[in-house]
Amino acid sequence: MIFSFFDGTLYNGKLTTDIFRDYQNYARKALNSIKLKTYTISGSPRPEQLAYQLYGNPNYYWVLLMVNNIDDPFHGWIKSPTACYKTAVQRYKNMDNGVQSNNRIVYHLNEFGEKFYNLVNDKENPNHWYDKGDTEKKYIQYNGPLRPIDIFEAEMLENEKKRTIKIIDPRDLNKFMSNITREMEKVIS
């Protein structure tokens, strides 16, 4: 639909859309006169489902992705808890030198939400945290309670950051489509 404005390129002997163009540049120009709204996603709908809910057409999924500068609609978009679990297992499969364990700690959090990586608690002096490599415990890295964040919680926390997105008000969608079409027509003129 929108990519039909561009010349194709040969890829493995087949004519296809040139995916290396900077589509974000066109989106930024098309959005100059449109005020984006902040939207909180409920549940974990795919972009196509949310596009249908907001705009009445699942084919506008690319608008949501483009407005939010998301190139990867799977990992860049909010996921279901099941998908987060699968992603965590895949992402951290080589953590700890390939030892397969589902309770691996990715980092620790203090009371202010600051992250601390690669720390171990001194069993003889609780709440004294040292780097994993500091086996002689010479250089304390943190003093105080820290909460461990395992691979699953880390993935879910990252996922939650994707819940709040920007959208084009449905009343402004036609204006955006006209704007982006004009911007893209400039390229082929």
Side-chain angles (χ1 to χ4, degrees):
M1 163 163 116
I2 200 83
F3 303 117
S4 64
F5 282 98
F6 296 102
D7 294 329
T9 187
L10 285 178
Y11 179 77
N12 284 343
K14 294 184 180 182
L15 188 63
T16 187
T17 302
D18 184 358
I19 63 171
F20 299 104
R21 289 192 183 265
D22 182 11
Y23 295 113
Q24 286 297 329
N25 187 39
Y26 303 110
R28 280 189 293 278
K29 290 177 181 177
L31 288 168
N32 274 341
S33 63
I34 295 172
K35 184 174 183 197
L36 297 176
K37 294 173 67 175
T38 300
Y39 183 86
T40 302
I41 299 173
S42 177
S44 52
R46 298 298 309 137
E48 302 83 10
Q49 294 169 314
L50 187 58
Y52 181 77
Q53 289 173 6
L54 293 171
Y55 306 126
N57 187 336
N59 292 324
Y60 287 128
Y61 73 92
W62 64 269
V63 173
L64 296 171
L65 297 176
M66 189 176 277
V67 165
N68 289 283
N69 200 21
I70 297 173
D71 297 322
D72 181 346
F74 182 73
H75 293 293
W77 189 261
I78 193 155
K79 300 176 192 172
S80 69
T82 301
C84 281
Y85 177 86
K86 290 177 181 178
T87 300
V89 169
Q90 180 66 27
R91 178 172 289 157
Y92 297 106
K93 71 180 178 184
N94 293 323
M95 187 175 172
D96 298 330
N97 297 323
V99 175
Q100 194 65 26
S101 170
N102 288 340
N103 63 353
R104 292 167 284 179
I105 303 304
V106 179
Y107 57 86
H108 291 80
L109 283 179
N110 69 7
E111 62 186 302
F112 306 108
E114 295 172 303
K115 295 179 184 178
F116 296 87
Y117 293 88
N118 298 315
L119 296 186
V120 291
N121 195 4
D122 183 354
K123 290 184 171 117
E124 295 172 14
N125 296 303
N127 295 326
H128 287 78
W129 297 86
Y130 297 88
D131 184 272
K132 286 180 183 179
D134 184 5
T135 55
E136 295 179 18
K137 298 180 181 142
K138 289 184 176 181
Y139 307 101
I140 191 166
Q141 299 296 308
Y142 188 81
N143 186 10
L146 292 175
R147 185 168 69 89
I149 305 298
D150 68 17
I151 63 173
F152 304 115
E153 188 174 2
E155 193 63 35
M156 289 298 289
L157 290 170
E158 283 303 307
N159 191 54
E160 283 303 308
K161 293 177 183 176
K162 300 169 188 168
R163 189 167 298 286
T164 302
I165 62 170
K166 296 293 183 183
I167 65 166
I168 296 171
D169 188 298
R171 296 170 295 199
D172 292 332
L173 185 61
N174 287 336
K175 182 178 180 181
F176 170 74
M177 294 303 291
S178 294
N179 289 355
I180 200 162
T181 300
R182 272 194 302 281
E183 288 301 322
M184 291 182 167
E185 284 174 337
K186 290 177 187 177
V187 174
I188 60 172
S189 300

